[in-house]
Amino acid sequence: MLKTTYLLLLLVVSTHSFAQFHTTYNWVETPKLHPLSAEDANVSSVGILKKHIVEYVYNTETPDPIRYETEHTIVRVNDDKGIARHNTVYIPMYEVNNVVKIKARTINAQGKVTILNQDNIKEVKNVEDYGDFKIFAIEGVEKGSEIEVLYTVEKTYDMYGSEILQSDYKINEVEFVFITGILISNAKAYFTNTHFTDTVVNDKRAKVLRLNNMPPMIKEEYATPDANRISVVYQCYPPGQNITQDMFWNNVSNNISSQMFPNEINPLALADIDSITKHQETASVFKKVALLDNFVKNNFNIVKNNNEELSDLNYILKHKSASKYGILKLYATYLTALGIDFEIVVTANRHEYKFDPTFFTPNMLREFMIYLPSEKKYIAPDRVDYRVGEAPPNYLGNYGLFIKKDGHYLAKIHQADPNYSQTNRVIDISFDEDFMTTTLDVNQEYTGHWAATYRAILSLSPEQTIKQLKSFLTASGVEDKETLLFETQNNNINQTEYNQPFIAHSKVSSESLIEDAGNSYLFQVGMVIGTQSELYQETERMNPIEMSYPNEYNYTITVEIPKGYTVEGLKSLNINENYKDTEGNTICKFESGYTLENDKLIIKIQEFYRSNEYDKDRYEEFRSVINAASDFNKAAILFIPE
Amino acid sequence: MKKRLIILFLFTPLLIISQNFSKEDYIFLKRQEYIKISLENHNFNITKNVTEQAEYLTSNKLYFANEAMHYDSFTTIENIDAYTYIPNTNEKIPVNYIETKRTFDNGVFYSDQESKNFVFPAVTKGAITNLSYKEVVKDPHFLGLFRFGTFVPTKNAMLTVEFPRNVSIGYINFNTNDIDLDFKKDSNELSNTYTWTVKNINGFQPEDGSEAVLYYLPHIIVYIKSYEENGQTHNVLNDVTDLYKWYHSLVNQIDNTNLNKVYAIADKVTKHLSSKQEKAKAIFNWVQNNINYVAFEDGLGGFIPRGAASVCDKRYGDCKDMANLLFEMLNHVGIEAYRTWLGTRDRHYSYFEVPTPMVDNHMITTAIIKNDTIFLDATDSYVPFGMPSAFIQTKEALIGIDAQNYKVIEVPTQPAHKSETTVTSTFNLDGNLLKVHEQRALTGYEKVDFISNYTFKKDTKTDEEFFNTTLSLGNNKTEYTNIKKENFNNKSTPLVLSYDLNIGNYAKTIGNKTYINLNIDKTLSKSGIDIEDRKYSKKIDHFFNKKFTTTFQVPDGYKVNYLPDDLSFNHPLYGYHITYSQQGNTITQNKTLYVKTLRVKNDEFNSWNGFIKSLIKAYRKSIIIEKI
């Protein structure tokens, strides 16, 4: 049904009109300031308009369609922050063949208009990681001005594209116009309930998405706000073609698998195998992979530049340098030589982009991993700070394209070992005779992502970061601490056994944990677990809850009660907050309690988060668990003479 | 405004020469620079041949293989030769791909700086990388500096300067007292050659809260003083007079068209004002309020201010553009004002020691009104008229009087009483909830810092969250309501913040006693110095005073069980004083705190830590009330 309509439409519109919309689209001749609501006048800046037009133009004389993109924005700036946010403009030249026009003007509070001098547009070539740009500073901006920018660029034909519509300031009118004429196309909007509607622009078939009063995306904790911005993706197929999403996935999958599953092993790679396995042919698959991962990360560098040879296996083996795609080929070759079954995973950093398995766009094919189905573990080839284990937290929970030698599937990247990341701390506390000094003897064991992070810092980071880690691992919240001892074990980044704990032993003393209160002593016992973050929510929660990774903490705190004293105020040590899933399983909790044994007070705490994703509508329950640790941090007990 | 880090002139406890680098991951075997200066027809040809050789002692930090050589329109980079040598296999693997790149810098909107980038191939444990290239210096004012030390140890660092006998060279070493620096002079018929060598020098990495790295890193600045031709001496940068002459020749190139537009604004802004002081203030505030900071660094354009009229039209500019605009506006209304060059606190050189453009990185305007010298830096949008920006205190200012005359004056450190926070709080206990009404008045840099942070670092946080995370009053559960901000501007009137606080989980009731700590503001409690790991002195942005008056209303049915003793720490440069008193049912705590230094040197660390520890202990003292 739908198809027939399109076909009819197609017949109608293909007969005339090569008029390109961007050539007629313009800003108003005599601009006036837009009226602002009281609320809009009270923020640093507010968008009056953001209009983005993507127009594919096809005529039979050119082999490929031409893509024009027009961006038109009007922003009111109310204060210094607003001015600083909007008075410089960067236009990316990625895929741009030709700049059709760039215009900008300012309308100040008195209505005076200042037009951008075209001579002041600067060109910046090959900016690290981003390509070329046209940049300019907006002229004539004062508080209360409106800044209007309008530009059109002609780009190389590309079947896909995307545009982020939401920003960190409110925008009152947002419009995305997608003009494709006779070409078959597809578009989708994310993080909004509004859908594209079909329309006709300059006699050409088009889709449009209109949104009013788009709120700013706010930075929230336990969230991926950048990836959750309202945005659109689109596809526009070559003339006469209609392509399904499956065809796209198959194409990528075939393309990659043909390069990643070699039938013959490169002789240079084969020669490395003994250096990799160190003759441990009978070692477990995990151990072999760990040895391989260590070998590559101690001998190869990932290089970010435009050198195409960096994905050529011979070049990689000779220069020990690879692009982040090229390094996959290297791993694939070695794994094949070792006879280990693997899959290539293509995904995105979930903080930047939510991978959509139902709509293909190359924009989300940004990151690569290798999956080992027999171990249910991942290698992160371009992450020198990681070694084989669970997927790095940035990919966890995102979908990925898993490519096998003979096919592919789309699946969520999840953590197979629920207890991967644990912190176990045993803290023994004693006091000197006159209650001046508290000594903390702390034994800590960290596994999973924590262990990986600490090892990476010790190996890779500059001195200042290592100092910060040391400070964190030695009673972090105690401001006046003296560190008497600090040592670590299992600190080598090149581990070969699965999930060995990183061990830190420290001893610190403090004179501020105990307070003389008349003839008694108040002891800030909660502070020994370190400063705990407190989650705020002044406004309605915007983003779904996402943690870095599932994790668990176990504490055993033993306080030696000084002779001749008893202890009071223990009630504040009992805390129990939890969050149950729909089946009644506790998926996160903070629970603390105590026992008294002779002259010892023993406090046990268990805090865990079994999942890295929680229901946004149950944010308050999640927050109460997170904040319970912060409550415990404030617990104090009193020693009084018997 | 940026929080900048600190200082250190003298540090002795550091061993900067070592033979044993076995715990390092990566070291330089050599870093050498050979500067060759030649002169023909009053034109200098200057080249630097740079050679670097580094060794990977482990395979931990292979990312050091990323190399970038920066240059701008005053220099070019040529003849890059780079390769990795693998001793085990005697292999030499050349670099075969070099890319030219730009970067976006947060502070500078557009810069002509580019870099040549490549990655050394095949680096791993044992690999030795070799780099040599030629840098052509196109302008004799920019000979640059040479670092004897760098971020990792260097086994052999050498600077050589070869120059014709008719050229005179100046040089000055910094932080070289504790290294064994060898200096040799050679000469032949045509030229003189100076060579500085140092062996086995430790690495220098920056530290949080310290001065900029050049405060402690051993380095040398070499410059061309003059040359003789046909019996006549021609100065290049013989001393600060030459530097000034050159700067003056550059400001002579300023586009002075359409100044009438600028004068019209100056006239309008000062129309109803009579005193010079008022006029200068009005003009300064206008520039602060209306010209937005956008920096361009483009060849000599980085040294020549853009025309004042154009800056007014565009409404943006960088430091030199604002300085020149102020200069024009002030002089127009009859106020004696001068363009002024200076270095910010992260450049610690003196004009008299270093008469080269290395000495400064900033421009302001100096106004003389009656006998007052007033430093005007409009790049700081919130600093009140009469105070210099905090980051130029103690620095020498080169004040350009006219074509021949200049003055060098030190920008004075602003006394603590100009940057004061005065806090008045009333505490009430409601059950176990502590309710506080507080008013905070901030002046000087205390005000500037708060407004700058609020304006540029608040991000998408609500006011409540911003106050909670920046003031950190009580605990992190403190709720803020009725937040008010008055005088949120660049005027000298105090910024007044007021709010109500509900602090849960704070007062502690055990048995029939309740413990309440009146120190909800714990300023400086995180400022202790980790002496064991700390290498360089602590930097402080400005002097300040904080004064707190806190009253606590004892609830009905309670009596006071315990009041802490008065406590204090007195050092000429920092200290505090806390007293507690009771009158009827009201307990009053008076607390004052002062810091009157811009740096804490290494030999002062123990004293400073004594202050902070004493303060932390004082902060821990609670009052105790008891049920009757």
Side-chain angles (χ1 to χ4, degrees):
Chain A
M1 175 68 190
L2 200 67
K3 262 187 189 161
T4 346
T5 332
Y6 277 3
L7 201 67
L8 281 174
L9 203 69
L10 195 145
L11 287 171
V12 176
V13 297
S14 62
T15 53
H16 52 107
S17 115
F18 295 115
Q20 296 155 16
F21 182 54
H22 70 87
T23 58
T24 54
Y25 185 80
N26 206 349
W27 59 23
V28 299
E29 201 59 36
T30 319
K32 285 198 186 111
L33 288 181
H34 294 79
L36 283 198
S37 69
E39 184 201 342
D40 289 352
N42 208 21
V43 291
S44 291
S45 61
V46 60
I48 307 289
L49 172 74
K50 175 186 166 77
K51 184 162 180 163
H52 195 89
I53 305 159
V54 176
E55 182 178 15
Y56 282 84
V57 175
Y58 174 64
N59 64 51
T60 43
E61 287 153 29
T62 55
D64 280 332
I66 299 171
R67 181 168 48 138
Y68 292 97
E69 281 197 47
T70 299
E71 167 90 359
H72 183 193
T73 56
I74 305 173
V75 177
R76 174 79 69 98
V77 292
N78 292 323
D79 63 17
D80 289 341
K81 182 185 177 184
I83 293 174
R85 171 73 178 76
H86 297 282
N87 72 346
T88 50
V89 177
Y90 300 77
I91 304 176
M93 290 292 116
Y94 179 68
E95 292 188 332
V96 171
N97 293 331
N98 180 28
V99 174
V100 178
K101 65 181 169 221
I102 297 178
K103 311 204 282 186
R105 64 185 173 189
T106 306
I107 305 100
N108 79 2
Q110 286 73 45
K112 186 185 154 203
V113 178
T114 309
I115 308 263
L116 172 74
N117 178 349
Q118 296 284 318
D119 295 341
N120 294 336
I121 300 173
K122 303 252 183 195
E123 195 170 344
V124 189
K125 291 269 183 202
N126 199 18
V127 176
E128 195 132 31
D129 300 342
Y130 303 103
D132 302 347
F133 283 83
K134 299 270 187 195
I135 67 172
F136 53 90
I138 297 288
E139 298 170 6
V141 191
E142 298 168 8
K143 287 170 199 161
S145 295
E146 280 181 16
I147 295 171
E148 185 165 13
V149 178
L150 172 62
Y151 67 82
T152 300
V153 291
E154 180 195 315
K155 291 184 165 180
T156 317
Y157 172 63
D158 193 333
M159 268 188 273
Y160 341 80
S162 62
E163 178 72 16
I164 294 166
L165 302 177
Q166 196 170 22
S167 194
D168 54 353
Y169 54 94
K170 184 188 165 210
I171 309 176
N172 291 335
E173 190 185 331
V174 178
E175 194 174 318
F176 182 83
V177 185
F178 184 46
I179 307 165
T180 56
I182 57 167
L183 301 173
I184 299 174
S185 66
N186 195 0
K188 182 175 179 181
Y190 293 114
F191 307 109
T192 172
N193 295 325
T194 310
H195 296 285
F196 275 95
T197 50
D198 290 328
T199 182
V200 172
V201 174
N202 272 16
D203 291 342
K204 292 185 192 170
R205 210 176 57 205
K207 296 178 202 298
V208 65
L209 181 78
R210 272 193 202 94
L211 297 155
N212 290 324
N213 297 319
M214 184 184 286
M217 174 50 79
I218 54 173
K219 288 192 178 142
E220 291 174 319
E221 302 219 44
Y222 300 103
T224 60
D226 285 347
N228 297 344
R229 286 176 292 179
I230 297 170
S231 56
V232 294
V233 289
Y234 52 87
Q235 299 168 340
C236 177
Y237 313 131
Q241 291 192 38
N242 190 1
I243 304 173
T244 64
Q245 303 308 310
D246 275 349
M247 286 157 78
F248 281 122
W249 294 121
N250 278 329
N251 181 40
V252 172
S253 160
N254 290 340
N255 220 328
I256 293 180
S257 75
S258 68
Q259 299 177 56
M260 295 296 168
F261 296 95
N263 292 321
E264 279 175 35
I265 307 298
N266 184 307
L268 282 172
L270 205 56
D272 285 334
I273 293 300
D274 283 349
S275 313
I276 292 170
T277 58
K278 296 168 182 156
H279 301 288
Q280 301 180 65
E281 284 81 11
T282 56
S284 67
V285 169
F286 182 86
K287 185 156 186 174
K288 280 185 185 164
V289 175
L291 290 166
L292 166 62
D293 209 13
N294 290 337
F295 175 81
V296 173
K297 284 166 183 165
N298 284 280
N299 289 288
F300 291 81
N301 246 329
I302 309 292
V303 176
K304 278 208 258 180
N305 65 28
N306 299 317
N307 181 4
E308 285 173 7
E309 288 188 292
L310 290 166
S311 38
D312 177 274
L313 190 58
N314 275 315
Y315 184 91
I316 294 168
L317 285 159
K318 188 159 178 256
H319 290 82
K320 307 274 194 284
S321 303
S323 64
K324 92 185 197 182
Y325 185 71
I327 201 78
L328 284 177
K329 289 189 186 168
L330 182 77
Y331 273 93
T333 300
Y334 286 140
L335 286 166
T336 307
L338 290 165
I340 295 168
D341 197 21
F342 66 93
E343 297 167 6
I344 300 290
V345 187
V346 189
T347 182
N349 180 339
R350 67 176 154 124
H351 293 276
E352 295 169 358
Y353 206 99
K354 298 297 181 197
F355 189 106
D356 180 359
T358 68
F359 194 104
F360 178 84
T361 154
N363 200 18
M364 63 192 180
L365 310 180
R366 298 170 171 218
E367 308 291 344
F368 305 100
M369 288 191 291
I370 291 171
Y371 182 60
L372 305 162
S374 68
E375 308 301 300
K376 297 193 169 65
K377 293 288 171 287
Y378 292 87
I379 305 172
D382 66 336
R383 290 287 299 269
V384 68
D385 54 332
Y386 259 83
R387 294 294 186 269
V388 55
E390 296 293 346
N394 285 348
Y395 312 140
L396 189 62
N398 227 350
Y399 273 84
L401 171 67
F402 289 69
I403 301 166
K404 301 190 285 189
K405 191 169 185 172
D406 52 358
H408 71 266
Y409 60 98
L410 289 150
K412 208 169 179 178
I413 295 159
H414 76 275
Q415 178 172 308
D417 177 353
N419 300 316
Y420 189 57
S421 302
Q422 301 218 356
T423 293
N424 294 308
R425 285 189 187 160
V426 177
I427 307 173
D428 292 328
I429 301 170
S430 58
F431 308 95
D432 68 352
E433 277 179 12
D434 55 5
F435 279 106
M436 282 293 285
T437 308
T438 310
T439 305
L440 310 179
D441 191 325
V442 189
N443 277 295
Q444 313 170 65
E445 285 191 9
Y446 297 90
T447 61
H449 292 302
W450 276 308
T453 304
Y454 300 159
R455 285 181 186 123
I457 289 173
L458 290 178
S459 270
L460 303 170
S461 294
E463 283 171 18
Q464 187 63 39
T465 314
I466 294 174
K467 277 182 201 170
Q468 284 163 2
L469 175 64
K470 180 181 165 186
S471 173
F472 173 75
L473 292 174
T474 51
S476 63
V478 183
E479 286 162 350
D480 72 331
K481 71 183 171 194
E482 294 270 359
T483 303
L484 309 172
L485 171 83
F486 175 67
E487 54 192 23
T488 59
Q489 290 169 42
N490 286 350
N491 51 18
N492 190 331
I493 194 169
N494 296 311
Q495 297 286 311
T496 54
E497 302 298 327
Y498 176 68
N499 210 5
Q500 290 298 295
F502 173 91
I503 296 170
H505 180 204
S506 67
K507 222 174 190 178
V508 303
S509 69
S510 159
E511 295 183 4
S512 71
L513 289 173
I514 199 135
E515 180 188 327
D516 182 352
N519 62 346
S520 310
Y521 295 91
L522 195 64
F523 174 51
Q524 305 286 342
V525 64
M527 288 182 73
V528 308
I529 67 165
T531 310
Q532 303 290 315
S533 67
E534 175 86 15
L535 269 183
Y536 304 98
Q537 200 68 31
E538 313 289 347
T539 47
E540 197 187 336
R541 176 82 184 182
M542 216 169 175
N543 292 281
I545 304 165
E546 289 187 41
M547 299 189 85
S548 292
Y549 44 84
N551 61 73
E552 174 167 346
Y553 304 78
N554 289 291
Y555 290 86
T556 304
I557 303 166
T558 305
V559 184
E560 211 173 280
I561 301 166
K563 281 210 172 78
Y565 285 83
T566 58
V567 60
E568 283 193 11
L570 300 177
K571 263 199 308 198
S572 63
L573 302 175
N574 290 325
I575 297 175
N576 188 356
E577 294 287 348
N578 60 66
Y579 175 125
K580 291 186 170 63
D581 65 12
T582 43
E583 282 144 30
N585 303 312
T586 302
I587 51 168
C588 70
K589 77 162 187 184
F590 180 97
E591 188 174 1
S592 63
Y594 68 91
T595 52
L596 279 167
E597 283 174 22
N598 303 321
D599 57 348
K600 288 194 169 66
L601 167 68
I602 299 165
I603 303 163
K604 295 223 178 211
I605 303 173
Q606 187 183 42
E607 180 180 7
F608 62 68
Y609 303 86
R610 295 278 185 249
S611 168
N612 64 307
E613 292 172 4
Y614 295 88
D615 190 346
K616 176 177 135 185
D617 297 334
R618 295 180 63 189
Y619 179 73
E620 282 309 316
E621 289 166 78
F622 174 76
R623 189 159 89 110
S624 68
V625 176
I626 292 278
N627 288 355
S630 171
D631 287 335
F632 184 87
N633 177 243
K634 293 163 188 68
I637 55 176
L638 190 69
F639 296 119
I640 43 179
E642 282 174 328
Chain B
M1 195 176 359
K2 275 189 220 150
K3 283 269 170 203
R4 277 156 217 265
L5 310 187
I6 310 290
I7 302 238
L8 215 236
F9 276 98
L10 297 171
F11 63 94
T12 42
L14 268 187
L15 193 65
I16 46 184
I17 294 292
S18 168
Q19 296 289 344
N20 184 1
F21 298 134
S22 61
K23 287 195 172 162
E24 299 290 334
D25 294 310
Y26 172 86
I27 59 169
F28 279 102
L29 300 176
K30 66 177 181 196
R31 289 188 305 109
Q32 298 179 349
E33 224 175 88
Y34 193 105
I35 304 178
K36 185 166 181 183
I37 299 168
S38 49
L39 179 68
E40 207 176 324
N41 274 340
H42 300 276
N43 281 323
F44 281 97
N45 282 313
I46 304 167
T47 57
K48 286 183 184 181
N49 278 299
V50 179
T51 316
E52 289 180 1
Q53 188 177 54
E55 182 178 1
Y56 290 80
L57 301 180
T58 72
S59 53
N60 278 340
K61 291 175 180 159
L62 302 186
Y63 54 77
F64 283 139
N66 289 281
E67 193 70 49
M69 286 156 282
H70 299 271
Y71 59 98
D72 54 24
S73 51
F74 297 113
T75 49
T76 54
I77 304 274
E78 298 171 1
N79 304 342
I80 300 171
D81 180 30
Y83 64 91
T84 303
Y85 174 67
I86 309 289
N88 280 346
T89 55
N90 198 25
E91 260 182 300
K92 188 176 154 180
I93 304 145
V95 169
N96 64 353
Y97 186 87
I98 298 173
E99 207 166 79
T100 303
K101 283 188 184 176
R102 295 267 197 135
T103 47
F104 283 141
D105 176 320
N106 270 340
V108 181
F109 174 62
Y110 175 80
S111 156
D112 60 3
Q113 194 176 86
E114 292 185 303
S115 59
K116 299 280 182 194
N117 295 262
F118 66 84
V119 182
F120 280 108
V123 294
T124 185
K125 186 179 172 179
I128 293 173
T129 56
N130 295 269
L131 165 65
S132 69
Y133 61 92
K134 183 164 95 176
E135 183 181 328
V136 178
V137 180
K138 298 187 213 164
D139 185 317
H141 297 98
F142 298 108
L143 230 43
L145 59 72
F146 180 76
R147 291 163 160 87
F148 294 114
T150 185
F151 59 101
V152 296
T154 303
K155 283 201 154 179
N156 183 319
M158 183 162 85
L159 172 69
T160 309
V161 186
E162 182 190 330
F163 53 99
R165 293 183 68 115
N166 60 335
V167 172
S168 165
I169 290 290
Y171 60 87
I172 175 165
N173 300 331
F174 294 91
N175 313 314
T176 52
N177 283 342
D178 298 328
I179 62 171
D180 192 7
L181 182 62
D182 181 63
F183 175 48
K184 265 204 314 242
K185 289 185 180 182
D186 281 321
S187 56
N188 60 29
E189 279 171 24
L190 294 173
S191 61
N192 292 318
T193 304
Y194 293 178
T195 305
W196 293 264
T197 314
V198 59
K199 290 191 178 349
N200 299 319
I201 183 165
N202 277 349
F204 293 82
Q205 294 192 10
E207 263 181 350
D208 289 350
S210 289
E211 295 289 2
V213 74
L214 290 178
Y215 274 77
Y216 40 85
L217 181 97
H219 64 284
I220 185 169
I221 293 178
V222 179
Y223 55 97
I224 299 172
K225 291 170 83 105
S226 60
Y227 62 93
E228 239 181 64
E229 209 140 286
N230 304 327
Q232 263 201 317
T233 302
H234 302 269
N235 282 357
V236 180
L237 290 172
N238 188 54
D239 57 24
V240 59
T241 302
D242 292 326
L243 181 65
Y244 176 68
K245 271 190 201 159
W246 181 54
Y247 282 173
H248 191 266
S249 74
L250 295 175
V251 297
N252 263 346
Q253 299 173 38
I254 296 175
D255 170 13
N256 281 333
T257 52
N258 294 325
L259 281 179
N260 284 338
K261 277 189 191 175
V262 177
Y263 298 157
I265 296 171
D267 289 336
K268 194 176 156 197
V269 169
T270 56
K271 198 158 72 183
H272 302 297
L273 305 173
S274 49
S275 78
K276 287 190 172 181
Q277 183 88 7
E278 284 173 325
K279 287 181 181 181
K281 188 175 175 177
I283 287 174
F284 178 63
N285 288 160
W286 188 87
V287 175
Q288 275 183 310
N289 292 341
N290 290 283
I291 305 300
N292 306 302
Y293 183 83
V294 178
F296 288 80
E297 282 178 6
D298 197 1
L300 275 179
F303 290 83
I304 304 168
R306 264 154 292 172
S310 148
V311 172
C312 277
D313 282 347
K314 292 202 194 104
R315 287 286 198 266
Y316 67 75
D318 55 19
C319 63
K320 59 186 185 299
D321 303 337
M322 293 191 202
N324 181 59
L325 175 61
L326 280 170
F327 165 84
E328 295 292 356
M329 292 173 89
L330 291 167
N331 278 300
H332 173 72
V333 299
I335 294 164
E336 188 183 343
Y338 304 105
R339 298 187 190 99
T340 303
W341 292 259
L342 78 180
T344 54
R345 278 185 67 194
D346 43 8
R347 300 260 169 145
H348 73 319
Y349 310 123
S350 160
Y351 279 100
F352 301 104
E353 289 182 337
V354 181
T356 86
M358 298 292 309
V359 70
D360 49 31
N361 57 354
H362 194 39
M363 228 179 138
I364 60 167
T365 311
T366 306
I368 314 282
I369 299 176
K370 290 179 191 161
N371 293 322
D372 286 344
T373 303
I374 303 167
F375 298 100
L376 300 169
D377 183 354
T379 64
D380 184 335
S381 302
Y382 305 107
V383 71
F385 174 81
M387 287 175 84
S389 46
F391 52 85
I392 61 172
Q393 293 178 95
T394 72
K395 298 300 304 176
E396 284 174 0
L398 172 66
I399 302 174
I401 309 291
D402 55 33
Q404 266 75 44
N405 298 293
Y406 63 88
K407 271 189 202 169
V408 177
I409 296 180
E410 186 180 307
V411 179
T413 305
Q414 301 297 296
H417 70 78
K418 283 195 174 177
S419 300
E420 223 158 53
T421 298
T422 309
V423 185
T424 316
S425 332
T426 50
F427 283 44
N428 282 289
L429 195 61
D430 181 0
N432 238 356
L433 186 69
L434 190 62
K435 294 189 160 183
V436 180
H437 174 73
E438 188 163 289
Q439 192 189 64
R440 201 163 261 262
L442 290 79
T443 64
Y445 299 136
E446 293 280 292
K447 175 175 175 176
V448 173
D449 286 354
F450 186 90
I451 298 183
S452 307
N453 283 335
Y454 183 89
T455 307
F456 296 109
K457 296 194 181 153
K458 185 167 161 276
D459 213 353
T460 56
K461 286 191 196 101
T462 58
D463 272 11
E464 290 76 11
E465 189 174 351
F466 177 78
F467 274 60
N468 201 331
T469 46
T470 51
L471 297 177
S472 304
L473 299 177
N475 58 35
N476 56 7
K477 292 192 176 296
T478 304
E479 291 169 11
Y480 291 71
T481 50
N482 298 324
I483 296 176
K484 293 193 182 79
K485 306 181 288 280
E486 284 170 48
N487 302 329
F488 198 87
N489 54 30
N490 52 354
K491 306 286 188 304
S492 359
T493 42
L495 167 70
V496 179
L497 309 171
S498 65
Y499 38 80
D500 293 321
L501 308 173
N502 282 343
I503 314 180
N505 214 340
Y506 186 78
K508 308 218 178 322
T509 301
I510 299 173
N512 54 7
K513 288 179 186 161
T514 299
Y515 301 76
I516 301 129
N517 190 318
L518 300 184
N519 302 294
I520 55 172
D521 181 314
K522 295 195 176 60
T523 298
L524 290 176
S525 67
K526 291 185 165 73
S527 316
I529 297 169
D530 181 355
I531 298 178
E532 195 188 330
D533 283 340
R534 179 78 174 208
K535 290 182 180 166
Y536 314 119
S537 63
K538 176 184 172 68
K539 182 185 176 197
I540 294 167
D541 289 331
H542 57 80
F543 291 12
F544 61 87
N545 286 331
K546 295 203 186 220
K547 297 176 175 172
F548 299 84
T549 307
T550 304
T551 53
F552 175 75
Q553 211 54 45
V554 180
D556 291 343
Y558 283 84
K559 64 175 183 180
V560 176
N561 170 280
Y562 174 78
L563 285 188
D565 294 336
D566 294 351
L567 285 164
S568 63
F569 184 95
N570 294 304
H571 183 283
L573 303 182
Y574 35 81
Y576 73 89
H577 188 66
I578 301 177
T579 64
Y580 291 86
S581 61
Q582 183 185 357
Q583 235 176 359
N585 267 346
T586 305
I587 295 170
T588 303
Q589 184 208 49
N590 282 300
K591 178 164 64 181
T592 55
L593 224 146
Y594 60 92
V595 171
K596 297 177 182 174
T597 182
L598 294 181
R599 59 182 60 99
V600 181
K601 294 180 186 169
N602 293 50
D603 58 6
E604 279 272 304
F605 284 175
N606 276 318
S607 166
W608 174 265
N609 275 0
F611 163 49
I612 299 301
K613 280 197 168 183
S614 170
L615 184 63
I616 291 171
K617 276 187 98 166
Y619 282 158
R620 281 264 155 259
K621 300 285 179 191
S622 297
I623 59 170
I624 306 174
I625 56 171
E626 188 177 2
K627 267 192 186 146
I628 302 172

